[in-house]
Amino acid sequence: MVNLKIIFAGAGAFGLPSLQALIGAGHEIVQVITQPDRPAGRGRKLTPTSVGEFAIEKNLPLVRTENINALELPAADVMVVIAFGQKIAQSQVNRPRLGSVNLHASILPKYRGAAPINWAILSGETETGNSVIRLAEKMDAGAVLGQSRLEIAELETAGELHDRLAVDGGPLMLRVLDDLANGRVKEEIQDESRATIAPKLSRQSTALDFNKPAEHIVRQIRGLYPWPGCRMRLVMEGKEIARFTLVRGLAMAGSFVGAAGNIDSSGNIICNPGGVTVVELQPEGKGPMNLSAYQNGNAWLTGARLESVI
């Protein structure tokens, strides 16, 4: 394996396993570039990004910037960009000897954009993966240098899939960089006719319409947890009795008696068609728990209605 001089540009936790893998493989990190510290928590204390915090802990050369294009980048063999959040000019992309590569959490050209993990679940995919691509002018449209594939479990949330894909990205990145350094990499141009978009999510994305099929509802619940999260209030006879976030559920086929959004006599949420059996939910201020544990101290009443809180 050829040891490379690497610039690493990233902010979110998704890139940490890859950065750790690069260091573990003996590559030299000549610069870590991340976003500036931001206010966070109740005290609004300035807090570094996940990548910035790691770089400080490991004493890596770190630059925090609002604009990577204003920097004079150090000499390097390659720049690795993961969950960075800034548009990088081609002059910076092309500065390293071998150019710049990006890890994206989908099997491109599917799910280009800000939320590929969420949209894979929302769209009912049973498989996803990572792609390492060349950075290009058009978002996530660069030539593919390597890909991996992972099955999506039936009850897997976006947060859980995020973490698995992050870990999966490390070995994939190492393999691609080794091929790139040794001239073995095969660059495949993406088929634009198959490209789909995974746009940024918002609180409005979390509104549940129980007049939709149960299968749609359970995908929405899992695909939006932990953020932005399908927050609900439970209402009985016009009075709110609880608030919580739905974490995961199972879609049930068949006919359910009652209005969509109500809890039936078996404890299922009525949809149109089908019903949802709640597997796990998260009460406000507490951790996730299964429905039976929740019912030990909280009402889950036949005829009560679930309404979205946006």
Side-chain angles (χ1 to χ4, degrees), residues 84-234:
F84 181 48
Q86 292 184 24
K87 175 73 172 176
I88 305 177
Q90 282 301 117
S91 57
Q92 299 288 61
V93 169
N94 296 331
R95 179 170 172 76
R97 178 176 65 88
L98 298 171
S100 300
V101 300
N102 169 242
L103 177 70
H104 182 78
S106 78
I107 303 174
L108 290 167
K110 274 191 169 184
Y111 305 116
R112 296 175 178 176
I117 298 171
N118 307 86
W119 282 102
I121 294 176
L122 292 170
S123 303
E125 301 284 358
T126 58
E127 182 184 62
T128 188
N130 283 306
S131 299
V132 176
I133 61 172
R134 291 278 190 189
L135 281 184
E137 287 280 0
K138 188 176 179 180
M139 180 182 64
D140 301 327
V144 175
L145 308 181
Q147 291 183 320
S148 62
R149 293 178 180 269
L150 293 177
E151 289 186 4
I152 301 174
E154 182 183 20
L155 291 175
E156 192 165 23
T157 66
E160 291 164 340
L161 185 56
H162 169 281
D163 293 348
R164 285 208 300 135
L165 284 165
V167 171
D168 173 79
L172 175 63
M173 181 61 71
L174 290 179
R175 186 168 72 248
V176 168
L177 291 183
D178 190 51
D179 288 344
L180 191 63
N182 287 286
R184 297 190 303 262
V185 77
K186 295 180 180 179
E187 304 198 19
E188 296 185 11
I189 303 302
Q190 293 187 43
D191 182 351
E192 290 294 323
S193 69
R194 294 175 51 239
T196 61
I197 302 300
K200 187 176 180 179
L201 298 166
S202 68
R203 288 294 317 162
Q204 284 64 41
S205 310
T206 67
L208 297 181
D209 179 0
F210 291 105
N211 280 299
K212 291 184 177 179
E215 187 58 48
H216 176 93
I217 298 299
V218 296
R219 292 201 306 261
Q220 194 173 355
I221 292 168
R222 292 188 298 114
L224 299 177
Y225 187 83
W227 192 91
C230 292
R231 296 175 60 227
M232 312 298 297
R233 63 182 193 141
L234 190 63

Side-chain angles (χ1 to χ4, degrees), residues 7-47:
I7 300 169
F8 186 93
F14 187 75
L16 283 179
S18 292
L19 179 54
Q20 292 167 326
L22 294 172
I23 295 169
H27 296 299
E28 180 184 354
I29 308 300
V30 297
Q31 189 81 78
V32 175
I33 303 171
T34 194
Q35 303 275 18
D37 297 357
R38 308 286 190 198
R42 291 183 179 179
R44 308 303 290 163
K45 179 182 177 182
L46 282 177
T47 303

